[in-house]
Amino acid sequence: EAQVTQNPRYLITVTGKKLTVTCSQNMNHEYMSWYRQDPGLGLRQIYYSMNVEVTDKGDVPEGYKVSRKEKRNFPLILESPSPNQTSLYFCATQRGPQETQYFGPGTRLLVL
Amino acid sequence: GQSLEQPSEVTAVEGAIVQINCTYQTSGFYGLSWYQQHDGGAPTFLSYNALDGLEETGRFSSFLSRSDSYGYLLLQELQMKDSASYFCAVRGAGNMLTFGGGTRLMVKP
């Protein structure tokens, strides 16, 4: 079964405590992205990757890091989380830029 | 940069047809896509238009006019389960995607 998994699904943390949200896909897709979703602002792309070791900034990359060391995984790293990073985060994958984009179930993050 | 505008809310009755418009201003354009998101769920891809014209997939159709920087999503034979938020998104260089703020569609019996 084609899957995009994210972990954790829910996380409460404190300002400054480094955290990683994992994203894994079993569809052998080249393209992967991270988004955050906030009320009234829709989805905003944080980073995207078009292949292993190829990543680029989206609209709102500040405060985030990513890595793509293997095709199936695309972790999102918050080195020093702040309250304004409280949000719902989605990972997504697609075979190519014009292809269907599949979203993970989302990670709800609260930074106190 | 990119900016997209779509209505914040649309209401229609079951069985009707509804059109959700999206206008965009971009520094680079490679295509327009549409997504559906139910409350509490993840977005689901609906369609992608890279060229002008109409793309039809079942009850849903999507249209693009690049000269007008405009597109729309057409939903026919509305069903209650179509109540959701709908987002347009512009693809720029690389795989940069910029989303509109979303249109909340309410389908009434």
Side-chain angles (χ1 to χ4, degrees):
Chain A
E1 181 193 348
Q3 271 193 328
V4 183
T5 57
Q6 294 180 226
N7 282 293
R9 294 290 313 279
Y10 303 91
L11 179 61
I12 301 174
T13 189
V14 295
T15 299
K17 185 176 181 183
K18 180 180 178 180
L19 67 92
T20 299
V21 184
T22 65
C23 174
S24 183
Q25 51 104 354
N26 65 357
M27 293 173 273
N28 202 37
H29 284 172
E30 305 280 340
Y31 288 68
M32 298 186 75
S33 290
W34 275 104
Y35 300 90
R36 60 177 291 174
Q37 186 171 31
D38 304 287
L41 294 176
L43 288 145
R44 292 180 292 169
Q45 192 179 45
I46 302 169
Y47 270 95
Y48 64 91
S49 169
M50 295 192 285
N51 211 330
V52 174
E53 302 292 3
V54 180
T55 63
D56 212 340
K57 296 177 182 179
D59 280 330
V60 288
E62 295 78 19
Y64 304 94
K65 285 175 55 178
V66 292
S67 69
R68 187 92 183 272
K69 298 193 186 311
E70 48 190 344
K71 187 182 275 191
R72 65 181 291 121
N73 295 322
F74 190 43
L76 179 70
I77 303 155
L78 286 72
E79 294 270 4
S80 182
S82 62
N84 65 13
Q85 292 178 298
T86 292
S87 188
L88 176 59
Y89 291 87
F90 288 102
C91 175
T93 81
Q94 59 192 136
R95 187 170 55 187
Q98 300 190 34
E99 305 285 334
T100 299
Q101 184 167 211
Y102 297 90
F103 283 77
T107 294
R108 197 168 286 280
L109 172 66
L110 173 62
V111 183
L112 300 173
Chain B
Q2 325 271 43
S3 70
L4 292 88
E5 286 195 19
Q6 51 181 128
S8 59
E9 203 169 283
V10 172
T11 302
V13 296
E14 212 172 359
I17 299 172
V18 72
Q19 179 173 312
I20 299 173
N21 298 322
C22 175
T23 58
Y24 58 87
Q25 290 184 316
T26 67
S27 55
F29 179 86
Y30 289 82
L32 183 72
S33 51
W34 288 92
Y35 294 81
Q36 178 192 60
Q37 186 178 29
H38 287 98
D39 285 346
T44 303
F45 173 88
L46 293 176
S47 67
Y48 179 82
N49 294 66
L51 303 174
D52 291 352
L54 190 68
E55 296 276 346
E56 297 179 72
T57 310
R59 294 188 297 114
F60 293 4
S61 303
S62 58
F63 172 83
L64 175 65
S65 169
R66 288 173 296 170
S67 60
D68 295 322
S69 298
Y70 164 75
Y72 66 72
L73 179 69
L74 191 73
L75 297 84
Q76 302 182 76
E77 301 171 23
L78 278 175
Q79 302 175 8
M80 297 298 291
K81 68 178 182 179
D82 297 330
S83 292
S85 293
Y86 292 84
F87 297 90
C88 58
V90 163
R91 185 170 78 87
N95 200 36
M96 192 154 175
L97 277 171
T98 301
F99 283 74
T103 298
R104 190 171 185 84
L105 171 64
M106 288 183 284
V107 181
K108 297 187 172 181

